[in-house]
Amino acid sequence: TTTTTTTKLTTNNTNKRTYASQAKAVDALFKRPLPHKTQEQLIKSAQRFGPKRPGLIAVKAGMTCDWDEWGKRHPLTVLWIDDNQIVQVKTEENEGYSAVQVGSGYKKPKSVTKPELGHFIKAQVPIKRFLSEFRVTPPTMKMYKEDEEGDDDDDNNNLDVETVEIKGAREYKVGEELNANHFYAGQYVDVQGVTSGKGFAGPMKRWGFSGQPASHGNTKKHRAHGSIGQCQDPGRVFKGKKMAGQMGGRKRTVQNCFVYKIDSERNLVYVRGQVPGRKGSIVKVRDALRKRATVEELEAQIGQIGVTIAPKSSKDPYSAYNKD
């Protein structure tokens, strides 16, 4: 649904976009609209693939397994949604972009600074242990078009503002709670976390090198990576060379994790496979970027109470072994 308004946006010469102010932070500071093509691409993407929803902050509780109706075993990672609540809502009018700040966990008042304490008091929410920001799609987006009837004066730039309604998008309020039924069993999610730190590791463990021969003149170089030098040209070691070094402890994202089961009573999300981090680590769970659920599926599936399991697969996993 598209609604055209007669509002015109006039930007004077002091706020005029220049090549040196293309950064989003500067644009948000001066509350400048995005370039026309970029804003139009955002609207088309939201209409085609659906609006962006906020993610959740979860605690990796560990791994377990379950058997489906076919008798196939599925390794599952248990993610605990610990009191997720919206702490702040950012809008294009105030901050220059649309996002929500989600808080998780609990902290004592003596464990936070005075600015952080004031931030939670202003939002009238309990003190949260972790905060994370997620971009969202607002219910209405503004598309800026050049005014054909306007003059070509360099000092002023007249733009027609066209308001476009995004199907499936909604407004989020401060203090709103987000539970495990924010997702549904059968959809795909992206899980982001920090991998387990392994310390200083050699090339065989870090990169899977085969090592050098165990005998035939080899002395104390069995697990070494070997020569790293070049000739006189280029006369240096290229950056990114696979060598021994710090392993793990990096932010990584596992895409397209299948949500096998949702337990809304205990706020547990069961995803198939492994996710980054050790037990007790914090991960971010959001809708999959490459396998998005449609607006109709989200409206029909999310918000269910109790334990829900993904529907049975239509294909028999053991069909190749059945001789019948």
Side-chain angles (χ1 to χ4, degrees):
T1 305
T2 304
T3 305
T4 305
T5 61
T6 58
T7 307
K8 293 184 179 181
L9 178 66
T10 303
T11 58
N12 51 26
N13 195 19
T14 58
N15 257 4
K16 190 174 181 180
R17 180 184 292 274
T18 60
Y19 288 103
S21 62
Q22 292 291 329
K24 293 182 179 180
V26 178
D27 294 339
L29 182 63
F30 290 97
K31 301 178 181 179
R32 297 169 176 155
L34 290 173
H36 307 164
K37 293 184 179 180
T38 304
Q39 187 74 356
E40 185 177 358
Q41 290 174 357
L42 291 175
I43 295 175
K44 289 183 178 180
S45 177
Q47 292 175 341
R48 180 179 179 183
F49 302 105
K52 289 184 179 180
R53 302 193 307 150
L56 299 181
I57 304 175
V59 179
K60 182 178 178 180
M63 294 196 68
T64 182
C65 64
D66 195 9
W67 285 260
D68 60 9
E69 297 181 3
W70 289 107
K72 183 180 179 181
R73 179 181 180 274
H74 296 273
L76 304 175
T77 301
V78 185
L79 304 177
W80 174 41
I81 311 300
D82 184 16
D83 295 336
N84 278 220
Q85 202 169 3
I86 295 179
V87 179
Q88 184 182 5
V89 177
K90 297 186 177 182
T91 59
E92 294 182 358
E93 291 76 13
N94 297 331
E95 287 80 14
Y97 63 98
S98 299
V100 296
Q101 188 184 73
V102 180
S104 173
Y106 175 75
K107 247 185 181 182
K108 294 182 180 179
K110 66 177 182 179
S111 301
V112 297
T113 61
K114 289 296 180 67
E116 292 175 340
L117 184 61
H119 180 65
F120 293 113
I121 292 176
K122 180 181 178 181
Q124 296 182 355
V125 297
I127 301 175
K128 298 298 180 180
R129 191 171 194 84
F130 304 100
L131 293 175
S132 182
E133 184 177 297
F134 299 94
R135 291 292 187 100
V136 297
T137 302
T140 58
M141 299 183 68
K142 296 180 180 180
M143 182 183 296
Y144 302 94
K145 294 185 177 180
E146 297 181 359
D147 186 10
E148 298 179 357
E149 301 178 357
D151 51 3
D152 295 334
D153 191 2
D154 295 338
D155 295 337
N156 295 324
N157 184 18
N158 297 325
L159 300 176
D160 287 336
V161 181
E162 184 177 341
T163 303
V164 181
E165 297 181 0
I166 306 300
K167 181 182 178 181
R170 69 179 186 89
E171 292 185 2
Y172 298 92
K173 298 181 180 180
V174 176
E176 181 179 349
E177 296 183 357
L178 302 175
N179 300 320
N181 53 15
H182 181 70
F183 303 109
Y184 70 90
Q187 79 167 108
Y188 291 88
V189 294
D190 294 341
V191 183
Q192 183 185 75
V194 180
T195 60
S196 302
K198 304 291 185 179
F200 192 94
M204 294 183 66
K205 180 177 181 180
R206 191 183 184 194
W207 302 110
F209 284 9
S210 60
Q212 298 190 27
S215 61
H216 296 285
N218 196 341
T219 304
K220 299 181 180 179
K221 291 293 180 181
H222 302 85
R223 298 182 63 87
H225 47 64
S227 174
I228 62 170
Q230 308 287 344
C231 298
Q232 186 174 0
D233 182 20
R236 62 187 178 92
V237 178
F238 292 116
K239 290 184 178 180
K241 183 72 174 178
K242 293 182 179 180
M243 300 172 62
Q246 195 73 22
M247 181 180 178
R250 297 179 180 272
K251 184 184 293 185
R252 292 291 181 264
T253 302
V254 178
Q255 294 184 330
N256 303 334
C257 294
F258 183 75
V259 179
Y260 180 82
K261 183 167 64 174
I262 297 289
D263 189 349
S264 61
E265 297 178 354
R266 296 190 294 171
N267 268 341
L268 299 178
V269 177
Y270 296 78
V271 297
R272 188 165 58 193
Q274 74 282 359
V275 300
R278 297 183 181 274
K279 292 182 181 178
S281 60
I282 300 299
V283 296
K284 300 178 185 178
V285 188
R286 66 191 78 188
D287 294 332
L289 179 65
R290 302 178 185 274
K291 291 186 178 181
R292 294 187 182 181
T294 61
V295 176
E296 291 76 12
E297 292 176 347
L298 291 173
E299 292 178 351
Q301 298 289 341
I302 62 175
Q304 298 185 17
I305 305 300
V307 179
T308 57
I309 302 178
K312 177 183 176 181
S313 176
S314 58
K315 183 179 180 181
D316 185 3
Y318 302 106
S319 59
Y321 302 97
N322 296 332
K323 298 181 180 180
D324 298 338

